[in-house]
Amino acid sequence: MKKLYLFLWLLALPLVLPTSLSAQQRLNEITQRGKLRVGMTGQQPPFSMESKSGKLIGYEVNLAELLAESMNLELELVRIEFNQLIPSIQNGTVDLVMSGMTINMERNMKVAFIGPYVISGKSVVTKSITLAQADEAADLNQGRLRVTSLAGSTSEKFVKTLLPEATSIPVANYDLAVEALLKDEANVMLADLPICLITQMRYPDANLLTLEDPLTMEPIGMALPADDPLLLNFIENYFNALEMTGLLKELENYWFETGSWLSDMK
């Protein structure tokens, strides 16, 4: 708890804003509203998922909670399908997005990114011992394979671009992807490594396998509007403080390594 108090103290300095409206419009709107609206799917463990009580929990949920507290704001978690997350920033539905989102050039031309706070990579979940031994994308580029992935994600793009011989099965959320895998409607679920590892942990009796090493290396970060440098600067400082106090590492260990929270999942 000492680290939490130190973190909040570091960010609880008075917020002094310049007079230029264009440089502070978003941050002004957020502070005047008294509420920080964070978009996420709520279906991407361990980044975000629903608990048995119906509350959203997860690594990025904790990050959002700490950010809102450091800004003395109420937190509103807005559940949105993955392929609508960036449009939700652009149309002002949310203030920022934290949803296991890979930072890439295509997205960075639409929104700004803070991070990465996690380095991930593409991996798979499968029942096949042979497929779980894949070393590169070419090993999965087979006409007989049915590969499910999250619609609108870099995983879906990976399947369509690098696995053209396989049948692509995009779905709205990872629960549907896992269901397709368990029912043998898909041979492979392709997703970011943390999601693959947690899926394997969630279903210990399903004989699910994953890769020893990911097929790619990808940075995961927060997406936010590109038109307010003050908002960008404040959140950069927030993540610097998280790292400086060691809280970022503690949260990473809890959500990505211990698995002690799995029993609380819905």
Side-chain angles (χ1 to χ4, degrees), residues 96-108:
L96 55 93
V97 160
M98 302 173 72
S99 200
M101 185 168 285
T102 300
I103 303 170
N104 62 26
M105 182 63 71
E106 182 181 354
R107 290 172 178 156
N108 222 158

Side-chain angles (χ1 to χ4, degrees), residues 14-242:
L15 195 60
V16 180
L17 303 176
T19 56
S20 171
L21 180 62
S22 62
Q24 67 181 44
Q25 185 173 1
R26 296 271 188 172
L27 195 52
N28 264 340
E29 289 175 357
I30 294 169
T31 54
Q32 289 173 11
R33 188 193 313 127
K35 181 183 295 184
L36 180 67
R37 303 167 305 175
V38 178
M40 58 181 58
T41 67
Q43 295 176 310
Q44 291 174 265
F47 296 103
S48 65
M49 55 272 179
E50 192 172 338
S51 69
K52 291 177 180 176
S53 66
K55 178 183 177 182
L56 287 183
I57 58 173
Y59 177 71
E60 289 175 319
V61 174
N62 281 171
L63 292 180
E65 290 170 341
L66 286 171
L67 175 58
E69 189 168 356
S70 72
M71 298 174 77
N72 295 315
L73 297 173
E74 178 186 346
L75 175 64
E76 180 182 354
L77 298 177
V78 184
R79 299 184 65 167
I80 301 171
E81 287 192 2
F82 192 87
N83 59 8
Q84 292 302 310
L85 286 170
I86 286 183
S88 74
I89 297 176
Q90 296 173 312
N91 63 29
T93 301
V94 298
D95 303 309
L96 55 93
V97 160
M98 302 173 72
S99 200
M101 185 168 285
T102 300
I103 303 170
N104 62 26
M105 182 63 71
E106 182 181 354
R107 290 172 178 156
N108 222 158
M109 292 176 70
K110 300 174 182 177
V111 295
F113 277 93
I114 294 290
Y117 42 74
V118 172
I119 299 297
S120 182
K122 295 302 174 212
S123 189
V124 305
V125 181
T126 181
K127 296 179 181 179
S128 167
I129 296 175
T130 301
L131 295 176
Q133 294 174 343
D135 292 321
E136 55 186 7
D139 297 330
L140 301 172
N141 190 26
Q142 305 174 26
R144 64 182 179 83
L145 289 187
R146 302 181 305 278
V147 183
T148 186
S149 60
L150 184 64
S153 70
T154 54
S155 296
E156 182 189 15
K157 186 174 182 179
F158 183 99
V159 176
K160 291 182 176 180
T161 304
L162 298 178
L163 310 180
E165 298 298 321
T167 299
S168 175
I169 308 175
V171 292
N173 59 67
Y174 281 113
D175 287 340
L176 293 175
V178 173
E179 182 180 348
L181 189 64
L182 295 177
K183 291 182 176 180
D184 295 321
E185 295 170 355
N187 310 107
V188 172
M189 181 181 85
L190 195 138
D192 290 327
L193 178 62
I195 291 173
C196 292
L197 293 174
I198 294 304
T199 299
Q200 189 181 30
M201 294 169 63
R202 286 179 67 188
Y203 301 92
D205 300 324
N207 298 317
L208 298 179
L209 304 170
T210 190
L211 303 180
E212 185 174 340
D213 298 304
L215 300 169
T216 63
M217 295 298 289
E218 299 184 3
I220 304 294
M222 173 196 294
L224 64 162
D227 59 358
D228 192 334
L230 291 183
L231 178 61
L232 189 69
N233 177 249
F234 184 89
I235 297 178
E236 282 179 337
N237 290 334
Y238 154 78
F239 275 106
N240 288 338
L242 272 181

